[in-house]
Amino acid sequence: MIERFRFSLLPVGTATLAALLLAGCASLPANGPTANEIVKRSSRPDAPIQFDIVPLTAADLNVLNSEVTTSLRPMVLPRPSEVGVIGPGDILQISLFEVGVSLFGRDTTNSSGLFDPSAHSEKLPSIIVNQAGYIRVPFAGDILAAGQTPDSLSRYIEWQFKGKSQAPQVVVSIASNVSNVVYVSGTVRRPGRLDLTLGHERLLDAVAISGGSTGTPEDSVVRIVRATQTMEMRLSDISIGGPENFVLSPGDRIEVLNRPRSYLAMGATGKVSQISFEANDLSLAEAIARASGPSDAMADPTAIFLFRDQTGAPAGAGGEAAKPVIYRINMMEPSTYLLAQRLRMRDKDVLYFANARANQPSKLIGLLNQLFSPFVTARAVTR
């Protein structure tokens, strides 16, 4: 069978084999388009998504790097509420100190039956602030406690006791704090409720008290909800002395999320892969190196494309939506390596290594080599 096929293949002329090669190249499998095919599709008016292809220059660095900084868009949170203010659900402990005749019927005589002029204390049962913010205190009636501090509530109850007790002194403390708390959840080691104090705890304090994030700071996102506003920041972007490490407000809800940053490497790289940053900053040069760079056997080093979703870019002069831009990197140009060191990658960027045009005939010859002996293929090509 092999000899018969060899005999029938030898008469094939060079022109005929060249035609077969060209026809075969058009139908060979590929891991992506060539640079020319991408450029042609960018100029098609009937394309579902219109986009521009521009070479990467130094003028593009500021724009692209600023997009990395604003990938998580923080919002201005409302001003924090005062800490230490009593609210509904709090459990209060009220202590009354009196001199002379006790308002609550305490025996004011000593063991000898003589009048004891020393002060006496009486601890009232714990009182829960109701939903409306009121408490009921014996001989003082219903008192609005919500919105007051323990000191101001103490003075108000003392005023209510005047004329009913001799030199009353009242001490109010919060036995169980419900309103002056924040809630920490997500990928922390000890999620739960955190009581706020007059020490004015900050965002990083809450994360630290909760045991810290189970992931790396670069892969952890902190989401803060205050009232109706929400903001997100990467944990690695929050510095101890920076404004993003703000004072917490009662009722804040903090959620730590594990959201690793990664980019996709596709095309003539050997294999399609999703690669994690594993660092706070990742340059384009580092990203290309981690993807093993363009394949010597398959890729076109003049055509590496950076696809970045630029949704939200400013509209054009006529109000039309801005067209997506694909940046082309020419690794045969020495200055490109300097630009690649300064360009910062963004989460979910896509690097595409275009196939070389000369790669298609070599694929066909390789396929023939697998089907027939290399000797037969070489002889047929030379003829």
Side-chain angles (χ1 to χ4, degrees):
M1 291 292 293
I2 296 178
E3 293 298 327
R4 290 180 182 177
F5 190 86
R6 180 185 302 173
F7 179 78
S8 62
L9 184 62
L10 291 178
V12 178
T14 304
T16 304
L17 185 58
L20 290 174
L21 284 173
L22 292 175
C25 289
S27 59
L28 283 175
N31 51 20
T34 64
N36 287 340
E37 291 171 337
I38 295 177
V39 173
K40 287 180 181 178
R41 284 170 171 77
S42 68
S43 59
R44 286 178 53 182
D46 59 340
I49 299 178
Q50 300 291 324
F51 59 91
D52 292 327
I53 298 177
V54 298
L56 180 66
T57 63
D60 302 315
L61 291 179
N62 290 336
V63 175
L64 292 173
N65 286 340
S66 66
E67 292 173 352
V68 175
T69 306
T70 59
S71 59
L72 292 176
R73 301 174 183 270
M75 301 177 65
V76 179
L77 293 176
R79 185 176 180 179
S81 303
E82 184 180 355
V83 177
V85 176
I86 299 171
D90 288 346
I91 300 178
L92 306 181
Q93 186 65 62
I94 301 177
S95 298
L96 174 63
F97 295 85
E98 301 174 283
V99 176
V101 179
S102 174
L103 178 62
F104 292 93
R106 182 184 177 91
D107 187 6
T108 56
T109 60
N110 56 24
S111 57
S112 302
L114 300 176
F115 175 73
D116 186 1
S118 61
H120 305 279
S121 65
E122 183 72 27
K123 181 180 291 186
L124 302 182
S126 298
I127 302 176
I128 301 177
V129 182
N130 64 22
Q131 188 66 35
Y134 284 84
I135 60 173
R136 171 163 290 186
V137 179
F139 301 104
D142 293 332
I143 298 175
L144 180 61
Q148 297 197 59
T149 63
D151 288 342
S152 64
L153 182 59
S154 298
R155 291 191 295 269
Y156 183 80
I157 296 176
E158 287 176 3
W159 180 77
Q160 291 291 325
F161 281 162
K162 283 185 178 180
K164 304 173 185 176
S165 175
Q166 186 175 350
Q169 299 290 316
V170 176
V171 175
V172 176
S173 60
I174 302 176
S176 179
N177 198 352
V178 175
S179 57
N180 291 278
V181 297
V182 296
Y183 301 88
V184 185
S185 61
T187 55
V188 291
R189 291 178 174 84
R190 293 189 299 273
R193 191 176 68 185
L194 172 65
D195 291 348
L196 296 179
T197 68
L198 296 178
H200 301 292
E201 288 80 6
R202 294 180 176 269
L203 178 58
L204 288 181
D205 299 334
V207 175
I209 294 172
S210 300
S213 173
T214 58
T216 62
E218 293 79 16
D219 291 339
S220 300
V221 172
V222 182
R223 176 183 296 164
I224 305 97
V225 180
R226 177 177 296 175
T228 59
Q229 299 294 329
T230 302
M231 67 178 294
E232 290 184 354
M233 293 178 290
R234 290 212 170 262
L235 185 57
S236 57
D237 293 336
I238 305 175
S239 59
I240 294 178
E244 63 277 0
N245 188 26
F246 50 80
V247 175
L248 296 175
S249 178
D252 282 353
R253 296 186 179 272
I254 303 168
E255 184 179 10
V256 181
L257 308 171
N258 185 29
R259 195 184 294 171
R261 292 176 298 172
S262 63
Y263 67 96
L264 296 178
M266 309 179 73
T269 62
K271 66 175 183 178
V272 176
S273 55
Q274 182 178 11
I275 304 174
S276 298
F277 278 29
E278 298 179 354
N280 192 24
D281 285 324
L282 184 70
S283 69
L284 174 62
E286 293 170 324
I288 293 175
R290 290 191 182 185
S292 300
S295 172
D296 289 340
M298 299 183 297
D300 180 359
T302 68
I304 301 175
F305 296 92
L306 173 63
F307 292 76
R308 174 170 293 181
D309 184 7
Q310 294 177 302
T311 304
E320 68 278 2
K323 293 173 63 176
V325 176
I326 300 173
Y327 294 91
R328 181 171 181 171
I329 299 110
N330 182 2
M331 300 306 293
M332 299 299 290
E333 178 64 40
S335 61
T336 301
Y337 290 83
L338 298 175
L339 295 177
Q341 288 179 314
R342 296 162 55 191
L343 176 59
R344 298 167 60 191
M345 294 292 288
R346 194 178 78 171
D347 188 24
K348 302 303 180 288
D349 277 349
V350 176
L351 278 179
Y352 175 72
F353 298 82
N355 282 275
R357 295 181 60 186
N359 187 31
Q360 299 298 322
S362 64
K363 281 186 178 181
L364 182 58
I365 293 175
L367 182 59
L368 292 175
N369 280 333
Q370 294 177 5
L371 295 176
F372 316 114
S373 69
F375 173 78
V376 173
T377 305
R379 187 172 181 180
V381 171
T382 57
R383 290 176 64 92

